[in-house]
Amino acid sequence: MSITPSTILESQLPTTWSPNSYPDVSMVMSGYPSRLWSHDSQPQYWSKYQVWEWLQQVMDMHQIDASNIPFQNFDMDGRQLCSLSYQDFIRAAGSVGPLLFHSLTELKWSGQYHVEIGQLEIKPSELDFSCPFPDASYPPGEIYDPSFQPLAPVASPTPSSPGKTFITFYPRGTHLWEFIRDILLNPERNPGLIKWEDRTEGVFRFLKSEAVAQLWGKKKNNSSMTYEKLSRAMRYYYKREILERVDGRRLVYKFGRNARGWRESEK
DNA sequence: TTGGACTTTCCTGATT
DNA sequence: TAATCAGGAAAGTCCA
């Protein structure tokens, strides 16, 4: 497998670049993906070089030999990359396809997205996402991370840019209870992990406690997460009234008065 | 640099 | 006996 950059692409490469002379991954990828990629450059605006750069870094991150990826299949810019479906990724990258798809999806919604829109009052429905979240193309059974969904945009004036308004997107599920809530609100995506016991009262039960813990650990990049640790964090929510105790029932929790967004009327 | 919020880790003991 | 719950304590991470 060889990398054959186009002439245009070569002109975009730093002079010292080569697949084997990549910057220190541990340094570059610190905080990946929320810092380097999603903050400095939205995927849909990437150049071909940046697409390859991303490919290389995902491979490095997961310690996969980059030669396993047919880079020529990704001879495209970020906008084209974003238009690929899950199946397209599998066709283009084989067994690594799901990993790449997942990584790109994460990039789209992690970190903050600033959309300069001028001094207008913007409704979420009026925003044009040129790199839409392709969740509809997730295959059945694929683990879904609810935190990939965007929050409703928060408009905030930026003092340094008078006359302009910035829309800032924050990823959902920043906190554990929000992560749990979002799983509950998307049961079709994660069948059998957690289920409502009493929807109106906010009572829910863990069905696969360890699986949820692993999903949480995956989100936090912590492979040693267990349900025991997760449940300790859950118990801290009792004091803050984000959760309420449900006595006598194992794996059962209830949203408290300070939990937001779980009621159907709040959706 | 510091402090607060939040999470993780480890622990002991109780309960199911 | 194993799994889970409860909560103290301390440390780690992130952010303002």
Side-chain angles (χ1 to χ4, degrees):
Chain A
M1 202 75 63
S2 61
I3 300 174
T4 55
S6 65
T7 306
I8 295 174
L9 195 55
E10 281 175 341
S11 69
Q12 295 175 322
L13 299 176
T15 53
T16 57
W17 187 88
S18 79
N20 295 324
S21 63
Y22 215 72
D24 180 17
V25 173
S26 62
M27 188 174 70
V28 172
M29 299 305 290
S30 173
Y32 175 91
S34 63
R35 290 185 186 153
L36 176 68
W37 290 100
S38 61
H39 183 78
D40 294 339
S41 174
Q42 296 168 48
Q44 63 268 39
Y45 301 128
W46 287 350
S47 64
K48 288 182 181 182
Y49 165 63
Q50 285 175 301
V51 169
W52 284 14
E53 200 175 33
W54 164 73
L55 280 172
Q56 180 70 48
Q57 294 197 359
V58 173
M59 295 301 98
D60 286 343
M61 240 185 83
H62 295 274
Q63 298 182 328
I64 298 169
D65 187 347
S67 65
N68 291 322
I69 294 291
F71 275 64
Q72 67 273 18
N73 290 348
F74 291 91
D75 187 14
M76 61 184 75
D77 60 25
R79 191 172 182 88
Q80 291 170 293
L81 182 75
C82 288
S83 70
L84 297 184
S85 68
Y86 183 86
Q87 293 303 328
D88 290 335
F89 270 92
I90 290 176
R91 274 191 289 272
S95 59
V96 188
L99 177 67
L100 294 172
F101 179 82
H102 188 79
S103 172
L104 183 68
T105 303
E106 200 165 16
L107 281 174
K108 290 173 188 173
W109 293 117
S110 61
Q112 298 181 7
Y113 288 71
H114 290 84
V115 182
E116 193 175 329
I117 57 169
Q119 196 170 27
L120 294 170
E121 185 179 342
I122 293 294
K123 299 169 188 169
S125 58
E126 294 171 343
L127 293 170
D128 171 32
F129 289 94
S130 54
C131 194
F133 175 63
D135 63 348
S137 56
Y138 262 101
E142 182 76 7
I143 295 251
Y144 167 70
D145 186 338
S147 65
F148 295 157
Q149 292 190 355
L151 268 185
V154 177
S156 59
T158 305
S160 59
S161 304
K164 292 176 179 175
T165 298
F166 285 82
I167 299 294
T168 301
F169 295 91
Y170 297 96
R172 292 194 91 160
T174 303
H175 298 146
L176 173 59
W177 72 269
E178 295 171 306
F179 174 79
I180 298 298
R181 175 199 64 192
D182 292 343
I183 289 179
L184 282 162
L185 296 180
N186 294 276
E188 73 282 3
R189 298 292 187 185
N190 257 323
L193 290 185
I194 313 174
K195 77 164 200 175
W196 290 109
E197 290 279 290
D198 187 330
R199 181 70 176 81
T200 56
E201 292 297 314
V203 179
F204 59 92
R205 183 160 59 94
F206 282 84
L207 300 176
K208 295 177 183 172
S209 53
E210 282 303 328
V212 175
Q214 284 173 22
L215 200 58
W216 174 241
K218 187 179 169 191
K219 177 177 169 56
K220 299 294 291 286
N221 203 22
N222 178 358
S223 58
S224 66
M225 180 52 62
T226 63
Y227 176 71
E228 190 175 354
K229 295 172 187 174
L230 182 149
S231 65
R232 180 69 191 98
M234 296 282 280
R235 290 194 295 274
Y236 269 118
Y237 290 141
Y238 293 150
K239 262 189 177 176
R240 295 161 57 199
E241 297 187 88
I242 289 171
L243 294 177
E244 293 178 18
R245 285 186 186 81
V246 178
D247 292 330
R249 301 194 63 192
R250 292 185 165 205
L251 303 175
V252 176
Y253 298 84
K254 178 184 180 183
F255 285 118
R257 59 199 286 183
N258 293 329
R260 298 278 180 269
W262 60 269
R263 291 181 182 85
E264 285 182 297
S265 58
E266 291 180 274
K267 287 176 74 176

